[in-house]
Amino acid sequence: MMRRPRLDLRDQPLAGGQPLAFGIGLAVALFVGTLLLLSAGHEPLKIYTRMFEASLGDPDAWAVTLNRAVPLGLAGLAVAVAGSMGLWNIGAEGQIMTGAIAASWVARIGGEWPGLILIIAMLIAALGGGGLLALGPAVAKAKLGVNEIITTLMLNEVAIRLAQWLIHGPWKDPDAYNFPLAPMLPEQAHLPTLFSRAHCGILIAAGVIVISSVAVKYTAWGYELRIAGSSEATARYSGISLPHKVLTVLVLSGGIAGLAGGVELTGTADRLTESLSNGFGFAGIIVAALALMRPSGVAVVAVLFGAVQIGGQSIQTLGVSSSVSTILQAFVLFGAIGAGVLSRYRILFEGDTHAVPEEVNK
Amino acid sequence: MTHSSSVVDGNQFAVHLSDVWKMFPGVVANAGVELCVRRGTIHALLGENGAGKSTLMNVLAGVYRPDRGQLKLHGQVHSFRNPADALSAGVGMVHQEFRLIPSFSVAENVVLGSAPSLIQPRQLEAEVAAMAKKFGLRVDPTQPLWQLSMGERQKVEILKVLWRDASVLILDEPTTVLTPSEVDELAEILRRMAQDGRSIIFISHKLHEVSGICSEATVLRQGKTVATSLDMAATDAAELARLMVGSSPVAPDRPEVATPGDPLLELTELRASGDRGIDAFSNITFQVNSGEIVGIAGVAGNGQRELADVIAGLRPSTQGSVTLNGADVTAARPQQRFRAGLAYIPEDRLGVGLAPRLSITDNAILRIYRQQRRGPFIVAEKALAYCKYLITRFGVRSGDPGGPIAALSGGNLQRLLVGRELDGQPSVVVAAQPTRGLDVQGVKAIQDLLLDQRKAGAAVLLISEDLDELLTLTDRLLVMEGGVIRGEFDPRTVSRHEVGMAMLADTNATTR
């Protein structure tokens, strides 16, 4: 007789589960990628070498990867901060856009300001722009219990259309020969360079991630957040105001995503474009999920994900579609989540001894 | 896979369970249970909470496999591996929690899992409507489920079982979600099903409902059968109540008579709704004085949990007032009530009293983290020191204070929770099921803590389903049933039997 397998909860998760899970995820992705590349008639080894060299091979490659890790990390942080309280911010994509729009607006009115002041004003505006887009879903969730997944997701479209309207309409550059382009940012609005092509955004992102991690881990505010994320009933029991928490956390989450848009604008873009958010907001969900919704884990995952994305772009010159990179990213996630499950569960077969449900009788 | 043989004896029984044993770690849920159900009858399965009713029915419905024992349906021996086996042998169960899909129509819910491969909605609806009509179940098959009341949803669950042509239907406490008129309707439906030759097992602990509906009864107590196939017509309610609650002697080590002081907790005309929007309790008026323990006895689901939540400020009251130390706190938030001297030990430890995914330290400081701040930060050393203090003072056996709270055993969880709540020297303690599920040592530790509070002059309200515990610890005993207080007793003189009768609301016609 065939013995059917089933999952059984381990008493303790396996030690070092998450890095291991991530490693397994990468391995699964590479394996599937190998099959894909072979089926398309490529040499996997050559492709992978190229991917590695282009993303992590030398300081120039690192610079590009780190620049990519900045929006990924900030978007991931935005999702993770909301996730610490059990909320899902699926709207980082749109919040990145409104953040960038707000920063562009500051650049338009502050064209003559000194660089440092202009950049700081742009980043603050970006925070506000992202926070503003999250405000609606936050109020609806806090006051009426409206599902934030739906509302934040829908607003993505609104934010992107808003950017399109601005670029095609009021903000259209008169000197761009009627092309729908926003004007270039003033020269002094660009973030200073750190090394090679890496801009200072990596410092900003690192700083924000550290501050957020410390806030969630060590402050009373973060403690209340974690209580509410663990059990809403316990939060109510201990007198924590849930609506207030939901409101502040979702707006903050939106603000962080908006900041990602602001940094991306001043760091790597030279003008507001329709594609500025570039899927970072959605990739941020994956980054946060792989970091188990812990702000402290976001940085490492963002750099690795940045490397996968940059590596994926680089192989286009070898005639490989950049979709391969997208597929690889997806399989890193699948593999890591699958491995994550196995670090918490074990596989038993029917008839094996197992823990019985504790609830014996009502 | 079902094994059958051609055993003929006991052929007159639709269901014959004999010598059923089911053990869980540390608990014997069923110890040699017998159950015989005649074909075409409505059979009551009675017993207090924890008597083993649900376990036995889960064995019959294929959810659990018995450790020992025999299961015969219509004279044939069966051994179910899963609920699907049981269903195909004709045993269907209507659980207390409905398993229905809100966005589906009634008909779609009914055929779910056993629908023909090509679904023709009109035809299915007509078939479901015909079946509903036959048994007097008034539901519209085209209606989406989310529009239905709880009573109507139950009918859908019953239809689901009938659709699979179950000859044996198990209803697990079916009346808890029903209004009185719906109960009458259900009784009529069950009678029709019995006339159709089906056998119904009706799990309950409400005697007055069962006596009108069922013809025979089996009574369980502490996992054993104390009476099989009693003729309901020939058995009076007092006898059934005695069988259910037993007549074991009250433990002798009761505390000295209290000299109660001022009233510290006063409830006046209190009323509140339950989760389903209907009144969970109403017209509750009593007070708890300094230096006494007042007990609330009652079968689960009679408003006790909601009452505790209302006192703690976790559920709004719809009428009446709550007074703590002379101050009206009816509109106060939970934290304000805590500061006013209320300690609340909730029934749901891990999930209300404690946050399951956080560390032991994080849970230890839940009540005092606001006092441990420096700027925006919680001072980690203070938090750890407080956690260690609670662990030492209340004898919590734990490893690393930074480790997950969920790794603690039930008794240690409760020691930490009770300790944390009592550490602030509260003037009023509300404890809901504080010893449920604990081992003997844990029970003793928690009971001693409550007695210490009484000695220190606190007013203690103890809500429990354990009658022995209430009779031992309390100075006054209130019985709650159907959301109202059914009586007040002196635990020193009252018999278990009298309390049991009040708990089961067999005080003539005063039922809801």
Side-chain angles (χ1 to χ4, degrees):
Chain A
M1 183 167 39
M2 181 132 146
R3 298 207 308 162
R4 275 181 289 182
R6 61 189 171 75
L7 290 178
D8 192 64
L9 191 64
R10 291 177 195 273
D11 298 335
Q12 290 271 310
L14 281 183
Q18 199 53 24
L20 189 72
F22 196 91
I24 293 175
L26 268 180
V28 169
L30 288 178
F31 176 71
V32 174
T34 304
L35 296 183
L36 268 176
L37 291 170
L38 282 176
S39 71
H42 296 287
E43 293 171 51
L45 198 63
K46 194 170 138 203
I47 306 268
Y48 288 147
T49 313
R50 176 60 172 273
M51 282 179 79
F52 180 79
E53 279 170 358
S55 57
L56 302 169
D58 57 54
D60 289 343
W62 269 92
V64 181
T65 295
L66 288 180
N67 282 352
R68 177 56 64 97
V70 169
L72 287 175
L74 285 173
L77 179 68
V79 178
V81 164
S84 315
M85 199 183 150
L87 297 171
W88 285 97
N89 178 9
I90 310 296
E93 189 76 12
Q95 291 146 9
I96 289 173
M97 218 63 213
T98 53
I101 290 170
S104 299
W105 176 72
V106 169
R108 288 173 72 84
I109 58 169
E112 307 299 316
W113 301 354
L116 186 66
I117 292 175
L118 179 59
I119 289 172
I120 290 175
M122 284 170 75
L123 294 182
I124 291 173
L127 263 172
L132 200 64
L133 192 65
L135 184 64
V139 170
K141 171 78 177 181
K143 301 288 174 205
L144 303 168
V146 178
N147 187 329
E148 79 283 2
I149 299 177
I150 310 289
T151 49
T152 53
L153 177 68
M154 306 281 255
L155 283 177
N156 287 330
E157 202 61 26
V158 172
I160 287 162
R161 297 286 173 233
L162 177 66
Q164 283 177 350
W165 174 69
L166 286 171
I167 294 166
H168 287 260
W171 286 6
K172 190 160 131 183
D173 186 355
D175 302 331
Y177 307 103
N178 219 16
F179 279 109
L181 289 172
M184 300 279 275
L185 291 179
E187 197 49 46
Q188 77 276 23
H190 291 293
L191 278 177
T193 305
L194 200 61
F195 68 90
S196 178
R197 284 162 65 195
H199 57 72
C200 286
I202 194 74
L203 299 181
I204 298 171
V208 174
I209 289 173
V210 168
I211 292 171
S212 305
S213 310
V214 169
V216 168
K217 230 173 177 171
Y218 298 108
T219 65
W221 177 84
Y223 174 75
E224 292 177 348
L225 194 72
R226 287 183 290 126
I227 294 274
S230 177
S231 161
E232 285 188 13
T234 309
R236 265 196 299 275
Y237 168 85
S238 67
I240 295 168
S241 163
L242 279 173
H244 182 251
K245 260 314 13 93
V246 166
L247 200 70
T248 51
V249 167
L250 269 183
V251 170
L252 179 72
S253 169
I256 294 172
L259 184 64
V263 174
E264 183 66 8
L265 181 74
T266 65
T268 51
D270 38 16
R271 53 159 58 105
L272 180 67
T273 65
E274 292 171 29
S275 58
L276 183 128
S277 53
N278 192 18
F280 296 138
F282 295 121
I285 299 167
I286 304 177
V287 169
L290 287 173
L292 298 180
M293 294 294 162
R294 286 193 197 113
S296 52
V298 163
V300 179
V301 179
V303 172
L304 285 168
F305 243 67
V308 173
Q309 287 195 353
I310 296 298
Q313 285 176 5
S314 73
I315 54 177
Q316 280 174 284
T317 54
L318 297 177
V320 182
S321 162
S322 69
S323 311
V324 169
S325 156
T326 316
I327 294 170
L328 287 185
Q329 288 176 53
F331 273 99
V332 171
L333 183 71
F334 280 152
I337 287 177
V341 167
L342 289 183
S343 76
R344 275 170 288 131
Y345 294 85
R346 60 191 154 183
I347 296 173
L348 289 184
F349 291 90
E350 228 169 54
D352 290 349
T353 53
H354 60 91
V356 289
E358 260 182 40
E359 197 185 2
V360 169
N361 205 333
K362 279 186 306 56
Chain B
M1 194 157 306
T2 53
H3 310 281
S4 44
S5 64
S6 55
V7 184
V8 225
D9 69 320
N11 218 356
Q12 73 274 34
F13 293 124
V15 176
H16 187 187
L17 292 170
S18 51
D19 197 30
V20 170
W21 287 76
K22 182 68 194 172
M23 276 164 265
F24 296 104
V27 187
V28 182
N30 287 155
V33 178
E34 302 284 328
L35 175 70
C36 305
V37 180
R38 255 174 257 283
R39 183 168 181 274
T41 61
I42 309 173
H43 192 103
L45 183 61
L46 298 168
E48 288 187 299
N49 284 88
K53 307 186 295 285
S54 294
T55 304
L56 185 68
M57 287 304 101
N58 279 320
V59 166
L60 179 55
V63 179
Y64 296 149
R65 302 178 79 172
D67 298 327
R68 185 155 25 117
Q70 197 184 44
L71 193 167
K72 276 193 272 186
L73 295 179
H74 305 287
Q76 289 205 321
V77 178
H78 286 267
S79 155
F80 300 140
R81 282 166 26 125
N82 50 47
D85 277 355
L87 255 178
S88 60
V91 179
M93 183 155 175
V94 175
H95 293 270
Q96 271 183 293
E97 269 77 43
F98 299 152
R99 289 135 197 224
L100 300 167
I101 296 175
S103 57
F104 277 21
S105 74
V106 167
E108 284 167 333
N109 268 292
V110 167
V111 303
L112 189 72
S114 58
S117 40
L118 182 66
I119 295 183
Q120 295 165 287
R122 292 281 145 66
Q123 196 192 331
L124 276 187
E125 279 159 14
E127 284 176 33
V128 171
M131 174 169 277
K133 189 158 179 281
K134 179 178 171 192
F135 294 100
L137 289 147
R138 283 203 300 268
V139 283
D140 173 3
T142 60
Q143 217 177 355
L145 190 95
W146 57 268
Q147 295 180 344
L148 268 51
S149 73
M150 281 299 153
E152 290 171 315
R153 289 179 195 206
Q154 183 179 61
K155 289 177 196 154
V156 178
E157 281 282 6
I158 293 173
L159 272 174
K160 253 171 89 173
V161 178
L162 290 172
W163 180 259
R164 287 157 182 76
D165 202 27
S167 58
V168 176
L169 284 88
I170 306 165
L171 290 96
D172 191 359
E173 307 200 7
T175 57
T176 46
V177 297
L178 301 184
T179 61
S181 68
E182 285 177 324
V183 172
D184 295 340
E185 207 184 326
L186 175 69
E188 185 49 41
I189 293 164
L190 296 185
R191 276 184 211 110
R192 286 208 199 181
M193 294 196 298
Q195 279 161 13
D196 194 48
R198 294 165 207 268
S199 316
I200 295 126
I201 302 176
F202 189 106
I203 307 179
S204 183
H205 46 228
K206 288 181 185 163
L207 283 181
H208 60 275
E209 284 170 358
V210 167
S211 56
I213 300 174
C214 304
S215 55
E216 289 187 346
T218 293
V219 183
L220 298 188
R221 192 169 74 227
Q222 289 166 2
K224 297 195 181 75
T225 316
V226 287
T228 316
S229 297
L230 284 173
D231 182 356
M232 290 292 279
T235 315
D236 69 353
E239 171 69 4
L240 279 176
R242 191 191 61 72
L243 286 167
M244 278 173 70
V245 299
S247 53
S248 60
V250 172
D253 56 337
R254 66 166 57 255
E256 290 167 36
V257 176
T259 46
D262 302 328
L264 298 182
L265 174 68
E266 293 167 86
L267 310 180
T268 315
E269 303 271 321
L270 204 58
R271 176 192 197 124
S273 305
D275 297 335
R276 296 196 174 93
I278 49 174
D279 270 356
F281 61 83
S282 58
N283 202 18
I284 300 280
T285 301
F286 66 86
Q287 61 188 45
V288 187
N289 302 316
S290 169
E292 69 170 354
I293 298 181
V294 172
I296 293 188
V299 174
N302 279 289
Q304 308 95 311
R305 187 172 59 83
E306 290 86 353
L307 177 65
D309 280 352
V310 167
I311 298 174
L314 297 176
R315 180 184 291 272
S317 56
T318 51
Q319 195 186 314
S321 68
V322 180
T323 308
L324 268 181
N325 290 320
D328 187 332
V329 295
T330 313
R333 302 235 314 255
Q335 184 63 13
Q336 293 168 315
R337 295 183 198 216
F338 176 75
R339 279 200 293 268
L342 174 73
Y344 177 36
I345 298 153
E347 182 178 330
D348 186 359
R349 290 158 206 162
L350 208 55
V352 176
L354 302 165
R357 291 207 299 270
L358 301 190
S359 71
I360 300 173
T361 305
D362 279 343
N363 273 291
I365 62 170
L366 190 67
R367 289 299 195 183
I368 55 134
Y369 72 91
R370 292 177 180 85
Q371 284 89 57
Q372 292 187 324
R373 283 179 296 189
R374 187 191 297 139
F377 294 96
I378 292 175
V379 183
E381 303 83 63
K382 279 195 198 170
L384 184 61
Y386 182 74
C387 180
K388 285 184 172 161
Y389 154 78
L390 281 186
I391 285 176
T392 316
R393 180 173 161 198
F394 295 100
V396 183
R397 277 191 299 271
S398 76
D400 174 17
I405 186 87
L408 295 187
S409 72
N412 286 310
L413 279 178
Q414 188 68 337
R415 281 190 178 93
L416 186 78
L417 169 57
V418 172
R420 186 188 75 201
E421 291 303 304
L422 300 184
D423 183 55
Q425 270 146 13
S427 50
V428 176
V429 180
V430 175
Q433 317 293 352
T435 60
R436 178 151 80 190
L438 303 189
D439 58 15
V440 180
Q441 277 180 317
V443 170
K444 179 87 166 59
I446 301 299
Q447 289 180 343
D448 284 347
L449 285 171
L450 293 177
L451 287 172
D452 289 348
Q453 290 298 312
R454 171 183 181 265
K455 201 188 279 175
V460 181
L461 181 64
L462 173 62
I463 299 171
S464 178
E465 279 163 35
D466 182 343
L467 207 45
D468 288 327
E469 170 173 272
L470 290 166
L471 292 172
T472 316
L473 294 182
T474 62
D475 300 293
R476 283 190 290 138
L477 185 57
L478 307 172
V479 174
M480 218 169 153
E481 193 280 336
V484 293
I485 303 284
R486 291 287 176 202
E488 176 173 340
F489 301 95
D490 181 349
R492 287 166 187 80
T493 55
V494 76
S495 70
R496 281 181 63 95
H497 173 65
E498 275 176 86
V499 179
M501 290 294 282
M503 275 167 62
L504 301 164
D506 202 62
T507 45
N508 305 323
T510 58
T511 55
R512 62 174 170 141

